[in-house]
Amino acid sequence: MILLILGLALWVGAHLFPRLAPDARARMGNAGKGAVAAGVLVGLVLIIIGYRGAAFVPVWTPPAFLTHLNNLLMILAVFVYGMSATTGRLRGKMRHPQLTAVKIWAVAHLLVNGDLASIILFGGMLAWAVAEVIVINKTTTWDRPEPGPAKKDVVLVIITLVMFAIITGIHAWLGVWPFPG
């Protein structure tokens, strides 16, 4: 659990540093960008190693029906994440689509994982995404982009379904079948 917690701390710190200490980050120049990226990457590696190596400590037993809700939320999370790159009508409907997607992803996974490591990982990522939105909203203004053509939103739906299938395949490859049997 130590590596998981250290990884989360590094992930959160690296992401929040440029927003909470913009002058210090600016003084670092390009090296600062590299340091932040390295912090995020090392944090992610520690999170993965820590989570995969954590002992299974049951906290609660999720009911099986929540798997269906998890899968619906995951499709929504992939779609919302994709909104950050869309140039369709949905462009500009949401200020923080990537962070909103992380929140949806975290809640979905908290619903179906009742062990301590999962609660730390997904709860920690949920807390980070909430904090990040608050910090961004207090430190920056947003110029809402103009919407684009509706056909780009159709492309987003197709990409969402393909990405969900890929994510499902990765989960299956890792030994976690995401559908109730």
Side-chain angles (χ1 to χ4, degrees):
M1 296 275 188
I2 299 288
L3 291 178
L4 173 60
I5 293 167
L6 286 173
L8 276 169
L10 190 53
W11 172 275
V12 171
H15 275 93
L16 288 176
F17 172 68
R19 303 235 183 249
L20 294 177
D23 294 337
R25 170 47 204 95
R27 283 192 300 273
M28 295 171 74
N30 284 337
K33 287 182 183 180
V36 169
V40 169
L41 182 60
V42 171
L44 181 59
V45 169
L46 290 174
I47 288 169
I48 293 167
I49 292 169
Y51 182 72
R52 303 251 327 146
F56 185 83
V57 179
V59 176
W60 72 291
T61 303
F65 75 87
L66 288 179
T67 304
H68 298 294
L69 181 57
N70 170 64
N71 290 333
L72 288 173
L73 288 172
M74 284 308 303
I75 292 171
L76 178 62
V78 173
F79 180 81
V80 170
Y81 191 90
M83 284 176 60
S84 67
T86 188
T87 56
R89 301 289 306 157
L90 294 174
R91 180 180 178 168
K93 293 291 184 189
M94 184 179 299
R95 180 169 183 184
H96 307 288
Q98 290 180 350
L99 290 167
T100 301
V102 169
K103 291 187 252 181
I104 296 167
W105 166 83
V107 168
H109 283 76
L110 284 168
L111 290 175
V112 294
N113 293 286
D115 62 292
L116 184 58
S118 294
I119 292 169
I120 290 170
L121 171 59
F122 301 116
M125 292 299 265
L126 176 61
W128 161 72
V130 169
E132 190 81 27
V133 167
I134 291 168
V135 170
I136 291 170
N137 286 346
K138 287 187 176 202
T139 59
T140 63
T141 58
W142 184 46
D143 295 323
R144 184 181 303 271
E146 291 297 320
K151 66 182 178 182
K152 296 290 187 168
D153 294 332
V154 174
V155 172
L156 174 60
V157 170
I158 293 167
I159 291 171
T160 296
L161 295 174
V162 169
M163 289 305 300
F164 183 74
I166 291 169
I167 292 167
T168 299
I170 291 170
H171 276 73
W173 178 67
L174 292 172
V176 180
W177 184 242
F179 300 104

